[in-house]
């Protein structure tokens, strides 16, 4: 029997800080587990810092959650979240974007579990508005509650 976990990775999901280079100019940008990231002491606030050995950029653990995978997939997953936030619902969004219902649900769960980082990413890199973010979390929370009840 074939395992299905690989699907999600191919379509993009969240990566932990320190597992890839967040510098868009870098040729290793967004490549998770490529071995180019080394630990680089701690910041004054006690946060772990990392350095990319390829571009030499130093960044801290707050910079660096990302939907990784192919670049188009990253764009797709962010757009999908935006559509959900705008009230399209999971089923319709999954159909329009051509992704599996389960995959989209998993993205939402992941996003919810790393809300802080996801929020920063969406605000900074994707120019989401605060109200879009609010709508996304409202949706995620409502879905989470339903799952617990039902
Ligand atoms: Zn780099």
């Amino acid at each position: 029997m074939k395992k299905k976990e690989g699907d999600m990775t191919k379509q993009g999901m969240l990566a932990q800080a320190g597992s890839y280079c967040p510098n868009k100019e870098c040729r290793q940008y967004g490549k998770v587990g490529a071995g180019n990231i080394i630990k680089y002491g701690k910041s004054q606030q006690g946060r772990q810092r990392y350095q990319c050995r390829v571009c030499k950029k130093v960044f801290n653990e707050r910079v660096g959650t990302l939907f990784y995978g192919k670049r188009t997939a990253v764009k797709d997953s962010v757009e999908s979240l935006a559509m959900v936030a705008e009230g399209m619902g999971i089923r319709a969004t999954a159909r329009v974007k051509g992704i599996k219902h389960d995959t989209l649900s998993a993205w939402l769960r992941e996003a919810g579990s790393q809300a802080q980082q996801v929020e920063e990413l969406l605000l900074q890199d994707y120019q989401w508005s605060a109200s879009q973010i609010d709508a996304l979390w409202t949706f995620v929370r409502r879905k989470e509650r339903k799952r617990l009840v039902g």
Side-chain angles (χ1 to χ4, degrees):
M1 211 166 77
K2 263 195 172 175
K3 278 202 160 186
K4 290 222 165 144
E5 280 105 67
D7 289 357
M8 225 160 61
T9 311
K10 248 182 273 158
Q11 297 196 39
M13 62 184 286
L14 296 167
Q16 288 296 322
S19 62
Y20 68 95
C21 180
N23 173 15
K24 290 193 178 93
E25 312 291 304
C26 179
R27 67 183 156 84
Q28 292 289 62
Y29 169 68
K31 287 190 192 157
V32 176
N36 54 311
I37 305 300
I38 52 170
K39 286 196 172 165
Y40 196 78
K42 297 235 164 126
S43 72
Q44 282 175 346
Q45 292 82 34
R47 293 185 189 283
Q48 181 64 53
R49 291 196 302 181
Y50 301 92
Q51 186 187 35
C52 172
R53 286 190 295 185
V54 175
C55 65
K56 305 287 183 221
K57 194 180 150 72
V58 175
F59 50 95
N60 72 37
E61 63 189 359
R62 295 191 65 176
V63 181
T65 298
L66 158 117
F67 301 86
Y68 74 92
K70 289 190 187 124
R71 214 167 285 208
T72 49
V74 171
K75 203 167 142 276
D76 265 352
S77 51
V78 172
E79 281 171 7
S80 302
L81 293 183
M83 286 161 85
V84 169
E86 274 155 30
M88 261 188 73
I90 291 184
R91 216 165 288 275
T93 302
R95 195 172 55 235
V96 169
K97 299 301 287 182
I99 51 176
K100 286 188 197 132
H101 184 277
D102 288 352
T103 303
L104 183 52
S105 297
W107 286 345
L108 285 164
R109 268 200 306 278
E110 281 278 317
S113 69
Q114 298 186 54
Q116 177 83 36
Q117 290 98 315
V118 170
E119 198 166 311
E120 281 174 23
L121 175 88
L122 294 174
L123 286 169
Q124 285 166 20
D125 288 10
Y126 294 92
Q127 278 82 50
W128 276 42
S129 66
S131 61
Q132 268 183 303
I133 302 262
D134 277 351
L136 177 64
W137 296 146
T138 302
F139 184 91
V140 169
R141 275 196 300 271
R142 202 184 304 142
K143 189 169 181 302
E144 198 65 22
R145 250 200 315 269
K146 236 188 261 171
R147 206 161 58 96
L148 292 175
V149 175

